[in-house]
Amino acid sequence: MANTITQCPVLTIPKELDFVAPTDIAFVTDYKKGCTKKTTAPLLFIAELFNATIKVMHINEEEELSKEQESHREMLELCLKNTEHSSHWVQAFADKAMVIDDFLNNIGRRYVCYGALQTQLL
């Protein structure tokens, strides 16, 4: 049966840890890749399941978004309109992974990280 499941959101908890429901979901994006209701469905499912707030984090690499990025931002806002969420813009640094880690540490310990970056971070 497991071989027939092709699309299912998975939340992985190391067995050494006790599960604590997340209160926040960090959604990291550069707005270079568009989102749709279909692609955000797993994110929205997990947010609803745990009554978690989605914290959208954008790493600002340019002063302004391109027209395409702005269109993707607006589509994401539309997809999230019925879900509690907030947007956070962070200035670009040499190490994106460090910026994301700092953001996660600032929002607290009970979060899930979900990303939509076009470029690979690590």
Side-chain angles (χ1 to χ4, degrees), residues 12-49:
T12 306
I13 316 308
K15 66 180 179 178
E16 304 84 36
L17 300 176
D18 292 328
F19 175 74
V20 178
T23 56
D24 297 298
I25 299 172
F27 182 82
V28 182
T29 182
D30 56 11
Y31 295 121
K32 291 181 181 176
K33 184 175 181 182
C35 295
T36 64
K37 288 197 180 274
K38 183 178 179 180
T39 60
T40 58
L43 171 67
L44 298 174
F45 173 78
I46 293 171
E48 183 178 344
L49 182 66

Side-chain angles (χ1 to χ4, degrees), residues 17-92:
L17 300 176
D18 292 328
F19 175 74
V20 178
T23 56
D24 297 298
I25 299 172
F27 182 82
V28 182
T29 182
D30 56 11
Y31 295 121
K32 291 181 181 176
K33 184 175 181 182
C35 295
T36 64
K37 288 197 180 274
K38 183 178 179 180
T39 60
T40 58
L43 171 67
L44 298 174
F45 173 78
I46 293 171
E48 183 178 344
L49 182 66
F50 296 113
N51 196 31
T53 301
I54 297 172
K55 310 260 186 190
V56 179
M57 177 197 177
H58 169 67
I59 299 175
N60 195 24
E61 297 180 89
E62 294 87 24
E63 282 196 37
E64 294 183 12
L65 296 177
S66 69
K67 287 183 181 181
E68 182 180 40
Q69 285 176 299
E70 183 60 32
S71 174
H72 294 160
R73 186 197 65 75
E74 290 171 0
M75 180 56 84
L76 180 59
E77 282 293 320
L78 187 62
C79 290
L80 298 178
K81 73 178 180 177
N82 296 320
T83 304
E84 188 174 340
H85 67 283
S86 58
S87 297
H88 307 268
W89 288 47
V90 179
Q91 290 297 320

